[in-house]
Amino acid sequence: MTPSDVKATLSFSDGSPSMELPIYKGTIGPDVIDIRKLYGQTGKFTYDPGFLSTASCNSTITYIDGDKGELLYRGYPIEQLAVNCDYLETCYLLLNGELPNATQKSEFQARVTNHTMVNEQMQFFLRGFRRDAHPMAVMTGLVGALSAFYHDSTDINNPEHREIAAIRLIAKMPTLVAMAYKYTVGQPYIYPKNDLSYSGNFLRMMFATPCEEYKVSPVIERALDRIFILHADHEQNASTSTVRLCGSSGTNPFAAIAAGVACLWGPAHGGANEACLNMLEDIQKMGGVAKVGEFMNQVKDKNSGVRLMGFGHRVYKNYDPRAKLMQETCKEVLMELGLENDPLFKLAMALEKIALEDDYFVARKLYPNVDFYSGIVQRAIGIPVPLFTAIFALARTVGWIAQLNEMIADPEYKIGRPRQLFVGAANRDVKPLAQR
Ligand code: CMC
């Protein structure tokens, strides 16, 4: 953090002494006012529910310019990474700060593939769930349970433990997601096959059966890999902040990532891809494109409680760059599968067109986000709707780990402990039961 020459002065209208606050500059993006000494010097807290104006940490990993619609991983634009790199290269970049050279890439790939199997005991743990359990309920349990199996990687303060936990989590997430799926449909688990790519292996574990050979389609493999890249990290969003806060207590990495999975599940966050696809299917049942106007009226009616899922973002006040790339992938996948006339894709395009021209959306700067098209791609690939958010969790795991490890390695790291403005009852006496 570079100190700025400019200082902020906080003054009070009641004559209390004013306070000078240091300002720090980042490489790009807004400066921050350092309020750490505020409570000590003034006895006051800042108040910012939802963190609208609060930087919770400093980070070198991901940068978003919400007004421009720009997303950078370690300085590289997402558009370039999506076209020139694969997911494991992106993982290496997020974890280590630089893209790998050819040797580093193959070493990293070998390390990850070496850890793709999960302890056989996990199968029996999985059996405790109902077959119709939501995959995110199962994933929260399975990821948390990893800490019961890999005792040699649970010390968050040991850099070697953190490193091996990172590799294990990246390697095992596809295996766990595929196991959760196979369990739901009552098919045998398919073990990883390490001569396949990361996404090719995942597709095989999902869709192969022991009765016949499964051939990975290169177009689908590439599309899935792109979904993984686009979801790999996104700065201090709700689940990442959850992972940081959870990890700040010194808990083990598997437990911290399980907390991230639980947070991601919500429909305002990762659950939006599932909610968006369900929304498109509901409109389709109502009459499809012809009913878009009627649906939009409901969205704009504040009393209806209906939102256009896959639209809007706390940070992006412009087109989410991931949504553009996802739309491209969506077209490619539908073409490959002969589904170019897919009614849900047509419906999504119609909704997007209307929303981008409508005053309600224009005034609020609401644009499609990554979840608007990702559901259509995943559904076309054959991934069941309730599994969408688990795929997001799989892809985001690397971001969560990179952010967690960055926090632990930061000399300024402390347990996260927000304060509050207390507005409840002040000190009062308990009355005996008969007098209450
Ligand atoms: N449909 C209709 N109106 C909306 C929408 C939407 N999708 N999103 C925001 N608005 C309106 C909202 O009603 C409010 O209007 P007003 O100023 O008149 O009260 C205004 O826009 C600002 O909304 P907000 O809820 O204060 O904004 P936020 O930054 O707190 O919420 C959001 C961001 C993503 C939760 C929200 O846009 C939303 O609920 N979108 C739909 C869910 C979704 O697609 N989530 C995925 C986000 S991207 C992937 C991820 O991060 O996981």
Side-chain angles (χ1 to χ4, degrees), residues 267-270 272 299 302 307-314 317 322 360-361 364 366 369-371 392:
H269 192 9
V299 169
K302 281 281 148 76
R307 282 200 166 197
L308 180 57
M309 299 311 286
F311 252 74
H313 199 273
R314 171 63 62 79
K317 300 302 165 200
R322 303 169 301 170
Y360 176 94
F361 292 90
R364 290 170 181 77
L366 301 170
N369 60 50
V370 67
D371 291 321
F392 190 159

Coordinates of all heavy atoms in Angstrom, one line a residue, residues 267-270 272 299 302 307-314 317 322 360-361 364 366 369-371 392, ligand 1:
P267 N -29.4 -17.3 -3.7 CA -29.8 -16.9 -5.1 C -29.3 -15.5 -5.4 O -29.3 -15.1 -6.6 CB -31.3 -16.9 -5.0 CG -31.7 -16.9 -3.6 CD -30.5 -17.5 -2.8
A268 N -28.9 -14.7 -4.5 CA -28.3 -13.3 -4.8 C -26.9 -13.5 -5.3 O -26.3 -12.6 -5.8 CB -28.4 -12.4 -3.6
H269 N -26.3 -14.7 -5.1 CA -24.9 -14.9 -5.4 C -24.8 -16.1 -6.4 O -25.4 -16.0 -7.5 CB -24.1 -15.2 -4.1 CG -22.6 -15.1 -4.1 ND1 -21.9 -14.7 -5.2 CD2 -21.7 -15.5 -3.2 CE1 -20.6 -14.8 -4.9 NE2 -20.5 -15.3 -3.7
G270 N -24.1 -17.1 -6.1 CA -23.9 -18.2 -7.0 C -25.2 -19.0 -7.4 O -25.3 -19.5 -8.5
A272 N -27.8 -17.8 -8.4 CA -28.5 -17.0 -9.4 C -28.6 -17.8 -10.7 O -29.5 -17.6 -11.5 CB -27.9 -15.6 -9.6
V299 N -41.3 -7.5 -13.1 CA -40.0 -7.2 -12.6 C -39.9 -5.7 -12.1 O -39.3 -5.4 -11.1 CB -38.9 -7.5 -13.6 CG1 -37.5 -6.9 -13.2 CG2 -38.8 -8.9 -13.9
K302 N -42.3 -3.0 -7.9 CA -41.5 -3.2 -6.7 C -42.3 -4.1 -5.7 O -41.7 -4.8 -4.8 CB -41.2 -1.9 -6.0 CG -40.1 -1.1 -6.6 CD -38.8 -1.8 -6.1 CE -37.6 -1.7 -7.1 NZ -37.0 -0.5 -7.3
R307 N -37.5 -10.4 -9.5 CA -36.3 -9.8 -10.1 C -35.9 -10.5 -11.4 O -36.2 -11.7 -11.5 CB -35.1 -9.9 -9.1 CG -35.2 -8.9 -8.0 CD -33.9 -8.6 -7.3 NE -34.1 -7.4 -6.5 CZ -33.1 -6.7 -6.0 NH1 -31.8 -7.1 -6.2 NH2 -33.3 -5.6 -5.3
L308 N -35.3 -9.8 -12.3 CA -34.8 -10.4 -13.5 C -33.5 -11.1 -13.1 O -32.4 -10.4 -12.9 CB -34.6 -9.4 -14.6 CG -34.0 -9.9 -15.9 CD1 -34.9 -11.0 -16.5 CD2 -33.9 -8.7 -16.9
M309 N -33.5 -12.4 -12.9 CA -32.3 -13.1 -12.4 C -31.3 -13.1 -13.5 O -31.6 -13.2 -14.7 CB -32.7 -14.5 -11.9 CG -33.7 -14.6 -10.8 SD -33.3 -13.5 -9.4 CE -32.0 -14.4 -8.6
G310 N -30.0 -13.0 -13.0 CA -28.9 -12.9 -14.0 C -28.7 -11.5 -14.5 O -27.9 -11.3 -15.4
F311 N -29.4 -10.6 -13.9 CA -29.2 -9.1 -14.2 C -28.8 -8.4 -13.0 O -29.3 -8.7 -11.9 CB -30.5 -8.6 -14.8 CG -30.4 -8.3 -16.2 CD1 -30.5 -9.4 -17.1 CD2 -30.3 -7.0 -16.7 CE1 -30.4 -9.1 -18.5 CE2 -30.3 -6.8 -18.1 CZ -30.3 -7.8 -19.0
G312 N -28.0 -7.4 -13.1 CA -27.6 -6.5 -12.0 C -26.4 -7.0 -11.3 O -26.1 -8.2 -11.3
H313 N -25.6 -6.1 -10.7 CA -24.4 -6.5 -10.0 C -24.0 -5.4 -9.0 O -24.2 -4.2 -9.4 CB -23.3 -6.8 -10.9 CG -22.2 -7.7 -10.3 ND1 -21.1 -7.1 -9.6 CD2 -22.0 -9.0 -10.3 CE1 -20.4 -8.1 -9.2 NE2 -20.9 -9.2 -9.5
R314 N -23.5 -5.8 -7.9 CA -23.1 -4.7 -6.9 C -21.9 -3.9 -7.5 O -21.9 -2.7 -7.3 CB -22.6 -5.4 -5.6 CG -22.0 -4.5 -4.6 CD -22.9 -3.4 -4.1 NE -24.0 -3.9 -3.4 CZ -24.1 -4.3 -2.1 NH1 -23.0 -4.3 -1.4 NH2 -25.2 -4.7 -1.6
K317 N -21.5 -1.8 -13.2 CA -22.5 -0.8 -13.6 C -22.4 -0.7 -15.2 O -22.7 0.3 -15.8 CB -22.4 0.5 -12.9 CG -22.5 0.4 -11.4 CD -23.8 -0.2 -10.9 CE -23.7 -0.7 -9.5 NZ -24.7 -1.7 -9.1
R322 N -17.8 -11.1 -18.3 CA -17.9 -12.6 -18.3 C -19.2 -13.0 -19.0 O -19.3 -14.0 -19.7 CB -18.0 -13.1 -16.9 CG -16.8 -12.7 -16.0 CD -17.0 -13.0 -14.6 NE -18.1 -12.3 -14.0 CZ -18.6 -12.5 -12.8 NH1 -18.1 -13.4 -12.0 NH2 -19.7 -11.8 -12.4
Y360 N -36.1 1.5 -16.9 CA -35.9 1.0 -15.5 C -34.5 0.4 -15.4 O -33.8 0.7 -14.4 CB -37.0 -0.1 -15.2 CG -36.8 -0.8 -13.9 CD1 -37.5 -0.4 -12.8 CD2 -35.9 -1.9 -13.8 CE1 -37.3 -1.1 -11.5 CE2 -35.7 -2.6 -12.6 CZ -36.4 -2.1 -11.4 OH -36.2 -2.8 -10.3
F361 N -34.1 -0.4 -16.3 CA -32.8 -1.0 -16.3 C -31.7 0.0 -16.6 O -30.6 -0.1 -16.0 CB -32.7 -2.2 -17.2 CG -33.7 -3.3 -16.8 CD1 -35.0 -3.4 -17.2 CD2 -33.2 -4.3 -15.9 CE1 -35.8 -4.4 -16.7 CE2 -34.0 -5.3 -15.4 CZ -35.4 -5.3 -15.9
R364 N -30.9 2.3 -13.7 CA -30.2 1.6 -12.6 C -29.0 0.9 -13.0 O -28.3 0.2 -12.2 CB -31.2 0.6 -11.9 CG -32.3 1.3 -11.2 CD -33.4 0.3 -10.8 NE -34.5 0.9 -10.1 CZ -35.5 1.6 -10.7 NH1 -35.5 1.8 -12.0 NH2 -36.4 2.2 -10.0
L366 N -28.5 -1.7 -14.9 CA -28.6 -3.1 -14.7 C -28.3 -3.8 -16.0 O -29.0 -3.6 -17.0 CB -30.0 -3.5 -14.2 CG -30.4 -2.9 -12.9 CD1 -31.9 -3.1 -12.6 CD2 -29.6 -3.4 -11.7
N369 N -25.4 -10.3 -16.0 CA -24.2 -10.8 -15.4 C -23.8 -12.2 -15.8 O -24.6 -12.8 -16.7 CB -24.3 -10.7 -13.8 CG -25.4 -11.5 -13.3 OD1 -25.5 -12.7 -13.6 ND2 -26.3 -10.9 -12.5
V370 N -22.8 -12.8 -15.3 CA -22.3 -14.1 -15.8 C -23.3 -15.2 -15.8 O -23.3 -16.1 -16.6 CB -21.0 -14.5 -15.0 CG1 -21.3 -14.8 -13.5 CG2 -20.3 -15.6 -15.6
D371 N -24.3 -15.0 -14.8 CA -25.2 -16.1 -14.6 C -26.3 -16.1 -15.7 O -27.1 -17.1 -15.8 CB -25.9 -16.0 -13.2 CG -24.8 -16.4 -12.2 OD1 -24.0 -17.3 -12.4 OD2 -24.8 -15.7 -11.1
F392 N -20.2 -23.8 -10.2 CA -19.7 -22.5 -9.8 C -18.7 -22.7 -8.6 O -17.6 -22.2 -8.6 CB -20.8 -21.6 -9.5 CG -20.5 -20.1 -9.3 CD1 -21.5 -19.2 -9.5 CD2 -19.2 -19.6 -9.0 CE1 -21.3 -17.8 -9.3 CE2 -19.0 -18.3 -8.9 CZ -20.0 -17.4 -9.0
Ligands
CMC1 N1 -34.1 -7.1 -11.4 C1 -34.8 -6.0 -11.1 N2 -34.4 -5.0 -10.4 C2 -33.2 -5.0 -9.9 C3 -32.3 -6.1 -10.2 C4 -32.8 -7.2 -10.9 N3 -32.1 -8.3 -11.2 N4 -31.1 -5.9 -9.6 C5 -31.2 -4.7 -9.0 N5 -32.4 -4.2 -9.2 C6 -32.9 -2.8 -8.7 C7 -33.3 -2.8 -7.3 O1 -34.6 -3.1 -7.1 C8 -32.9 -1.4 -6.9 O2 -33.9 -0.5 -7.4 P1 -34.3 0.8 -6.5 O3 -33.0 1.6 -6.5 O4 -35.4 1.4 -7.3 O5 -34.6 0.3 -5.1 C9 -31.6 -1.1 -7.7 O6 -31.8 -2.0 -8.9 C10 -30.3 -1.5 -7.0 O7 -30.4 -2.8 -6.5 P2 -29.8 -3.4 -5.2 O8 -30.5 -4.6 -4.8 O9 -29.7 -2.2 -4.2 O10 -28.3 -3.7 -5.6 P3 -27.3 -4.6 -4.9 O11 -25.9 -4.1 -5.3 O12 -27.5 -4.7 -3.5 O13 -27.6 -6.1 -5.5 C11 -27.6 -8.0 -6.9 C12 -26.9 -6.7 -6.5 C13 -26.7 -8.9 -7.8 C14 -27.9 -8.8 -5.6 C15 -28.9 -7.7 -7.6 O14 -28.7 -7.0 -8.8 C16 -29.8 -8.9 -7.8 O15 -30.5 -9.4 -7.0 N6 -29.7 -9.5 -9.1 C17 -30.3 -10.7 -9.4 C18 -29.6 -11.9 -8.8 C19 -28.3 -12.2 -9.6 O16 -28.3 -12.2 -10.9 N7 -27.2 -12.4 -8.9 C20 -25.9 -12.8 -9.5 C21 -24.8 -11.8 -9.3 S1 -23.4 -12.1 -10.4 C22 -22.8 -13.7 -9.8 C23 -22.3 -13.7 -8.4 O17 -21.7 -12.7 -7.9 O18 -22.6 -14.7 -7.8

